[in-house]
Amino acid sequence: MFYISGTGKAIPSQIVTNNDLALYLDTNDEWITSRTGIKERRILKDHTENTVTLSAGAALEAMKNANLSAKDIDCVIVATASPIQPIPSTANLVAEMLGIHGPAFDINAACSGFVYGLSVAGGFFAQNMYENILLIGADSLSTYIDKHDRSTVILFGDGAGAVTLSATENPQAGLLGIDLSGDSSLAPILEVRNNNHPEIEENAESHLTMNGREVFKVAVRSVEKSIATTLDSANIKGQDVDWLLLHQANVRIIDAICERLDIDREKALTNIEKYGNTSAASIPILLAEVAEQNRFKDGDLLVFCGFGAGMTWGTCILRWFENK
Ligand code: COA
């Protein structure tokens, strides 16, 4: 069994508001807020900030909150779709920066990456392989966004969130339910192609392309099904959920999910207004902020659900515990 022993986050210093975007794009604060719930996002300021530095910042905060040092960490997993280089992995670069020795690897499941990572870590704990795992969700999708594409630039922000996961004898701890799902035939509705792609001209820039309406529909349908299936398999009723931590992509998606699953809207935590969609970082940043405010109580039932490019989606259920 394991529990979340520490949480942390790191966000770029540069704030880009809806009004900042409206200065050079045919858009406005009212449209963006009413369609998405987003008011501002954080964007990498310069080359001193990137997916690795944000990951390391979030990891240090999580380790500090858990009272763990580099020598205590047995494995590093980073969920990211925006590494600064293909190899070695972001996790290797972070481990080296923080002085952590041991296995380190990345997971790319786009915006579902943190939930996929949680289930992978849960498998390691089930095999009693490690005492402490550092799991980070980090993305800098601004590096893939065409700043003049009003349909995508309004949505995404950069950031990183991290958790330390620690072994415990508590029989109520650990994953109470998991669902990892996806549909690769839907890949073209949200993608970034690079120069290796056969249909991309040499030296063309890689930009994120998205069919927003289709993504919206798939997200609502798949998230509803994933959460319902996972609750069902764990024999838990919607009303027994204390907190829903959904990927922060669009507040209207979150509203629709709560309505369809008959879960009180107040239980669905949000911070999308401040950060937009930070991809694999959105759930761990949200978790870190709410933990910082001491809003979770011992034994609270937390449902995590991510969805994103691939298409990928998935749900993990676990209880919050203050101590081992
Ligand atoms: N500002 C002002 N108008 C905009 C705009 C913007 N930033 N972006 C699009 N529009 C316009 C469109 O051109 C369209 O105009 P038209 O009716 O004259 O053709 C109109 O607004 C409606 O566009 P539409 O794309 O139908 O809006 P929507 O209600 O579907 O909202 C999204 C667009 C992107 C906000 C919404 O589809 C969405 O959030 N989808 C999910 C995306 C997502 O979550 N992606 C990440 C998944 S991990």
Side-chain angles (χ1 to χ4, degrees), residues 152-211:
T152 55
V153 73
I154 59 160
L155 297 176
F156 295 95
D158 304 327
V163 290
T164 53
L165 305 171
S166 301
T168 169
E169 298 293 318
N170 182 345
Q172 285 188 294
L175 291 173
L176 305 177
I178 311 177
D179 167 57
L180 296 188
S181 307
D183 182 348
S184 303
S185 72
L186 296 170
I189 66 174
L190 178 52
E191 64 176 336
V192 179
R193 294 176 171 190
N194 71 14
N195 285 340
N196 294 332
H197 194 283
E199 287 168 30
I200 290 272
E201 286 168 37
E202 212 179 325
N203 299 326
E205 285 190 61
S206 341
H207 289 142
L208 183 144
T209 57
M210 180 182 74
N211 179 335

Coordinates of all heavy atoms in Angstrom, one line a residue, residues 152-211:
T152 N -6.4 27.8 -29.8 CA -5.6 27.0 -28.9 C -4.8 27.8 -27.9 O -4.7 27.4 -26.7 CB -4.6 26.1 -29.6 OG1 -3.8 26.9 -30.5 CG2 -5.3 25.0 -30.4
V153 N -4.4 29.0 -28.3 CA -3.5 29.8 -27.4 C -4.2 30.2 -26.1 O -3.6 30.4 -25.1 CB -2.9 31.0 -28.1 CG1 -3.9 32.1 -28.4 CG2 -1.7 31.6 -27.4
I154 N -5.5 30.3 -26.2 CA -6.3 30.8 -25.1 C -6.4 29.7 -24.0 O -6.7 30.0 -22.8 CB -7.8 31.2 -25.5 CG1 -8.5 29.9 -26.1 CG2 -7.8 32.4 -26.4 CD1 -10.0 30.0 -26.1
L155 N -6.2 28.4 -24.4 CA -6.5 27.3 -23.5 C -5.3 26.9 -22.6 O -5.5 26.5 -21.5 CB -6.9 26.1 -24.3 CG -8.2 26.2 -25.1 CD1 -8.4 24.9 -25.9 CD2 -9.4 26.4 -24.2
F156 N -4.1 26.9 -23.2 CA -3.0 26.2 -22.5 C -2.1 27.1 -21.7 O -1.8 28.2 -22.1 CB -2.2 25.4 -23.6 CG -3.0 24.3 -24.2 CD1 -3.6 24.5 -25.4 CD2 -3.1 23.1 -23.6 CE1 -4.4 23.5 -26.0 CE2 -3.9 22.0 -24.2 CZ -4.5 22.3 -25.4
G157 N -1.5 26.5 -20.6 CA -0.5 27.2 -19.8 C 0.6 26.2 -19.5 O 0.4 25.0 -19.7
D158 N 1.6 26.7 -18.8 CA 2.8 25.8 -18.5 C 2.8 25.6 -16.9 O 2.4 26.5 -16.2 CB 4.1 26.5 -18.9 CG 4.1 26.8 -20.4 OD1 3.5 26.0 -21.2 OD2 4.7 27.8 -20.8
G159 N 3.4 24.5 -16.5 CA 3.6 24.3 -15.1 C 4.0 22.9 -14.7 O 4.1 22.1 -15.6
A160 N 4.2 22.7 -13.4 CA 4.5 21.3 -13.0 C 3.9 21.1 -11.6 O 3.9 22.0 -10.8 CB 6.0 21.1 -12.9
G161 N 3.5 19.9 -11.3 CA 3.0 19.5 -10.0 C 3.7 18.2 -9.7 O 4.0 17.4 -10.6
A162 N 3.9 17.9 -8.4 CA 4.6 16.7 -8.0 C 4.0 16.1 -6.7 O 3.5 16.8 -5.9 CB 6.1 17.0 -7.8
V163 N 4.2 14.8 -6.6 CA 3.8 14.1 -5.4 C 4.9 13.2 -5.0 O 5.6 12.6 -5.9 CB 2.5 13.3 -5.4 CG1 1.3 14.2 -5.6 CG2 2.5 12.3 -6.6
T164 N 5.1 13.0 -3.7 CA 5.9 11.8 -3.2 C 4.9 10.8 -2.8 O 3.9 11.2 -2.1 CB 6.9 12.2 -2.1 OG1 6.1 12.9 -1.1 CG2 8.0 13.1 -2.6
L165 N 5.1 9.6 -3.2 CA 4.2 8.5 -2.8 C 5.1 7.6 -1.9 O 6.2 7.2 -2.3 CB 3.8 7.7 -4.1 CG 3.1 8.6 -5.1 CD1 2.9 7.8 -6.4 CD2 1.8 9.2 -4.6
S166 N 4.5 7.2 -0.7 CA 5.3 6.4 0.2 C 4.6 5.2 0.7 O 3.4 5.2 0.8 CB 5.6 7.3 1.4 OG 6.3 8.5 1.0
A167 N 5.4 4.1 0.9 CA 4.8 2.9 1.3 C 4.2 3.0 2.7 O 4.7 3.7 3.6 CB 5.9 1.8 1.3
T168 N 3.1 2.3 3.0 CA 2.5 2.3 4.3 C 1.8 0.9 4.5 O 1.5 0.2 3.6 CB 1.5 3.4 4.4 OG1 0.7 3.2 5.6 CG2 0.5 3.4 3.3
E169 N 1.7 0.6 5.8 CA 1.0 -0.6 6.2 C -0.5 -0.4 6.3 O -1.3 -1.4 6.5 CB 1.5 -1.2 7.6 CG 3.0 -1.5 7.6 CD 3.3 -2.7 6.7 OE1 2.5 -3.7 6.8 OE2 4.3 -2.6 6.0
N170 N -1.0 0.9 6.3 CA -2.4 1.2 6.4 C -3.2 0.4 5.3 O -3.1 0.7 4.1 CB -2.6 2.7 6.2 CG -4.0 3.2 6.4 OD1 -4.9 2.3 6.4 ND2 -4.2 4.5 6.6
P171 N -4.1 -0.5 5.8 CA -4.8 -1.3 4.8 C -5.8 -0.5 3.9 O -6.3 -0.9 2.9 CB -5.6 -2.3 5.6 CG -5.6 -1.7 7.0 CD -4.5 -0.8 7.1
Q172 N -6.2 0.7 4.4 CA -7.1 1.6 3.7 C -6.4 2.4 2.6 O -7.1 3.1 1.8 CB -7.9 2.5 4.6 CG -8.9 1.8 5.5 CD -9.7 2.9 6.2 OE1 -9.1 3.6 7.0 NE2 -10.9 3.0 5.8
A173 N -5.1 2.4 2.6 CA -4.4 3.3 1.7 C -4.2 2.5 0.3 O -4.6 1.4 0.2 CB -3.0 3.6 2.3
G174 N -3.6 3.2 -0.6 CA -3.4 2.6 -2.0 C -4.5 2.8 -2.9 O -5.5 3.5 -2.6
L175 N -4.4 2.3 -4.1 CA -5.4 2.6 -5.1 C -6.7 1.7 -4.9 O -6.5 0.5 -4.8 CB -4.8 2.3 -6.5 CG -3.8 3.3 -7.0 CD1 -3.1 2.8 -8.3 CD2 -4.4 4.6 -7.2
L176 N -7.8 2.3 -4.7 CA -9.0 1.6 -4.5 C -9.7 1.2 -5.8 O -10.5 0.3 -5.9 CB -10.0 2.4 -3.7 CG -9.5 2.9 -2.3 CD1 -10.5 3.8 -1.6 CD2 -9.1 1.8 -1.5
G177 N -9.3 1.9 -6.9 CA -9.9 1.6 -8.2 C -9.0 2.3 -9.3 O -8.5 3.3 -9.0
I178 N -8.9 1.6 -10.4 CA -8.2 2.2 -11.6 C -8.9 1.9 -12.8 O -9.5 0.8 -13.0 CB -6.8 1.5 -11.8 CG1 -6.0 1.4 -10.5 CG2 -6.0 2.3 -12.9 CD1 -4.7 0.7 -10.8
D179 N -8.9 2.9 -13.7 CA -9.4 2.6 -15.1 C -8.4 3.4 -16.0 O -8.2 4.6 -15.9 CB -10.8 3.1 -15.4 CG -11.1 3.2 -16.9 OD1 -11.0 2.1 -17.5 OD2 -11.4 4.2 -17.4
L180 N -7.7 2.7 -16.9 CA -6.9 3.4 -18.0 C -7.5 3.0 -19.3 O -7.7 1.8 -19.6 CB -5.5 2.9 -17.9 CG -4.6 3.2 -16.7 CD1 -3.2 2.9 -17.0 CD2 -4.7 4.7 -16.3
S181 N -7.9 4.0 -20.0 CA -8.6 3.7 -21.3 C -8.1 4.7 -22.4 O -7.3 5.6 -22.1 CB -10.1 3.9 -21.2 OG -10.6 3.2 -20.1
G182 N -8.6 4.5 -23.6 CA -8.1 5.3 -24.7 C -8.7 4.9 -26.0 O -9.3 3.8 -26.1
D183 N -8.5 5.7 -27.1 CA -8.9 5.3 -28.4 C -8.0 6.0 -29.4 O -8.1 7.2 -29.7 CB -10.4 5.8 -28.6 CG -10.9 5.4 -30.0 OD1 -10.1 5.0 -30.9 OD2 -12.1 5.6 -30.2
S184 N -7.0 5.2 -29.9 CA -6.0 5.8 -30.7 C -6.5 6.2 -32.1 O -5.8 7.0 -32.8 CB -4.8 4.8 -30.9 OG -4.3 4.4 -29.6
S185 N -7.7 5.7 -32.5 CA -8.2 6.2 -33.8 C -8.6 7.6 -33.7 O -8.8 8.3 -34.8 CB -9.5 5.3 -34.2 OG -10.6 5.7 -33.3
L186 N -8.7 8.2 -32.5 CA -9.0 9.6 -32.4 C -7.8 10.5 -32.4 O -7.9 11.8 -32.1 CB -9.8 9.8 -31.1 CG -11.2 9.1 -31.0 CD1 -11.8 9.2 -29.6 CD2 -12.1 9.7 -32.0
A187 N -6.6 10.0 -32.6 CA -5.3 10.8 -32.5 C -5.4 12.1 -33.3 O -4.9 13.1 -32.8 CB -4.2 9.9 -32.9
P188 N -5.9 12.1 -34.5 CA -5.9 13.4 -35.3 C -6.6 14.5 -34.7 O -6.4 15.7 -35.1 CB -6.5 13.0 -36.6 CG -6.4 11.5 -36.7 CD -6.5 11.0 -35.3
I189 N -7.5 14.3 -33.7 CA -8.3 15.5 -33.2 C -7.5 16.4 -32.3 O -7.9 17.5 -31.9 CB -9.7 15.1 -32.6 CG1 -9.5 14.3 -31.3 CG2 -10.5 14.4 -33.6 CD1 -10.9 14.0 -30.6
L190 N -6.3 15.9 -31.8 CA -5.5 16.7 -31.0 C -4.0 16.2 -31.1 O -3.7 15.1 -30.6 CB -5.9 16.6 -29.5 CG -5.2 17.3 -28.4 CD1 -5.0 18.8 -28.8 CD2 -5.9 17.2 -27.1
E191 N -3.2 17.0 -31.9 CA -1.8 16.5 -32.1 C -0.8 17.6 -32.3 O -1.2 18.7 -32.7 CB -1.8 15.4 -33.2 CG -2.2 15.9 -34.6 CD -2.0 14.9 -35.7 OE1 -1.3 13.9 -35.5 OE2 -2.7 15.1 -36.7
V192 N 0.5 17.2 -32.1 CA 1.6 18.0 -32.5 C 2.5 17.1 -33.4 O 2.9 16.1 -32.9 CB 2.4 18.4 -31.3 CG1 3.6 19.3 -31.7 CG2 1.5 19.2 -30.3
R193 N 2.7 17.6 -34.6 CA 3.6 16.8 -35.5 C 5.0 17.5 -35.5 O 5.0 18.7 -35.5 CB 3.0 16.8 -36.9 CG 1.7 16.0 -37.0 CD 1.2 16.1 -38.4 NE 0.1 15.2 -38.6 CZ -0.5 15.0 -39.8 NH1 0.0 15.5 -40.9 NH2 -1.5 14.1 -39.9
N194 N 6.0 16.7 -35.6 CA 7.3 17.4 -35.7 C 8.0 17.0 -37.0 O 7.4 16.4 -37.9 CB 8.2 17.0 -34.5 CG 8.7 15.6 -34.5 OD1 8.6 14.9 -35.5 ND2 9.2 15.1 -33.4
N195 N 9.3 17.5 -37.1 CA 10.0 17.3 -38.4 C 10.2 15.9 -38.9 O 10.5 15.7 -40.0 CB 11.3 18.0 -38.4 CG 11.1 19.5 -38.4 OD1 10.1 20.0 -38.8 ND2 12.1 20.3 -37.9
N196 N 10.0 14.9 -38.0 CA 10.2 13.5 -38.4 C 8.9 13.0 -39.0 O 8.9 11.9 -39.6 CB 10.4 12.6 -37.1 CG 11.8 13.0 -36.5 OD1 12.7 13.4 -37.2 ND2 11.9 12.7 -35.2
H197 N 7.8 13.7 -39.0 CA 6.6 13.2 -39.5 C 6.7 13.3 -41.1 O 7.0 14.3 -41.6 CB 5.4 14.1 -39.0 CG 4.1 13.5 -39.3 ND1 3.5 13.5 -40.5 CD2 3.3 12.8 -38.4 CE1 2.4 12.8 -40.4 NE2 2.2 12.4 -39.2
P198 N 6.2 12.2 -41.7 CA 6.4 12.1 -43.2 C 5.6 13.2 -43.9 O 6.0 13.6 -45.0 CB 5.8 10.7 -43.6 CG 5.1 10.2 -42.3 CD 5.7 10.9 -41.2
E199 N 4.5 13.7 -43.3 CA 3.7 14.7 -44.0 C 4.1 16.2 -43.6 O 3.5 17.1 -44.0 CB 2.3 14.5 -43.7 CG 1.7 13.3 -44.4 CD 0.3 12.9 -43.9 OE1 -0.4 13.8 -43.4 OE2 0.0 11.7 -43.9
I200 N 5.2 16.3 -42.9 CA 5.6 17.7 -42.5 C 6.8 18.1 -43.4 O 7.8 17.3 -43.5 CB 6.0 17.7 -41.0 CG1 4.8 17.5 -40.1 CG2 6.8 18.9 -40.6 CD1 4.1 18.8 -39.8
E201 N 6.7 19.3 -43.9 CA 7.9 19.8 -44.7 C 9.1 20.0 -43.8 O 8.9 20.3 -42.7 CB 7.5 21.2 -45.3 CG 6.5 21.1 -46.4 CD 6.0 22.5 -46.7 OE1 6.8 23.5 -46.6 OE2 4.8 22.7 -46.9
E202 N 10.2 19.8 -44.5 CA 11.5 20.0 -43.7 C 11.5 21.4 -43.1 O 11.1 22.4 -43.8 CB 12.7 19.9 -44.7 CG 13.9 19.3 -44.0 CD 15.0 19.1 -45.0 OE1 14.7 18.8 -46.1 OE2 16.1 19.3 -44.6
N203 N 12.0 21.5 -41.9 CA 12.1 22.8 -41.2 C 10.7 23.5 -40.9 O 10.7 24.7 -40.5 CB 13.0 23.8 -41.9 CG 14.4 23.2 -42.0 OD1 14.8 22.5 -41.1 ND2 15.1 23.5 -43.1
A204 N 9.6 22.8 -41.1 CA 8.3 23.4 -40.8 C 8.3 23.5 -39.2 O 8.8 22.6 -38.6 CB 7.2 22.6 -41.3
E205 N 7.5 24.4 -38.7 CA 7.4 24.5 -37.3 C 6.3 23.5 -36.8 O 5.4 23.3 -37.5 CB 7.0 25.9 -36.8 CG 8.2 26.9 -36.9 CD 7.9 28.2 -36.3 OE1 7.6 28.2 -35.1 OE2 7.9 29.2 -37.0
S206 N 6.5 23.0 -35.6 CA 5.5 22.0 -35.1 C 4.5 22.8 -34.2 O 4.9 23.4 -33.3 CB 6.1 21.0 -34.2 OG 7.5 20.9 -34.5
H207 N 3.2 22.7 -34.6 CA 2.2 23.4 -33.8 C 1.1 22.4 -33.4 O 0.8 21.5 -34.1 CB 1.6 24.5 -34.6 CG 2.5 25.7 -34.8 ND1 2.5 26.4 -35.9 CD2 3.4 26.3 -34.0 CE1 3.4 27.4 -35.8 NE2 3.9 27.3 -34.6
L208 N 0.6 22.7 -32.2 CA -0.5 21.9 -31.7 C -1.8 22.2 -32.6 O -2.1 23.4 -32.8 CB -0.8 22.2 -30.3 CG -1.8 21.4 -29.5 CD1 -1.4 21.1 -28.1 CD2 -3.2 22.2 -29.5
T209 N -2.4 21.2 -33.1 CA -3.7 21.4 -33.8 C -4.8 20.6 -33.1 O -4.5 19.6 -32.5 CB -3.6 20.9 -35.3 OG1 -3.3 19.5 -35.2 CG2 -2.6 21.6 -36.1
M210 N -6.0 21.2 -33.1 CA -7.1 20.6 -32.3 C -8.4 20.8 -32.9 O -8.7 21.9 -33.4 CB -7.0 21.2 -30.9 CG -8.1 20.7 -29.9 SD -8.0 21.5 -28.3 CE -8.7 23.1 -28.7
N211 N -9.3 19.8 -32.9 CA -10.7 20.0 -33.2 C -11.4 20.1 -31.9 O -11.8 19.1 -31.2 CB -11.2 18.8 -34.0 CG -12.6 18.9 -34.4 OD1 -13.4 19.6 -33.7 ND2 -13.0 18.3 -35.4

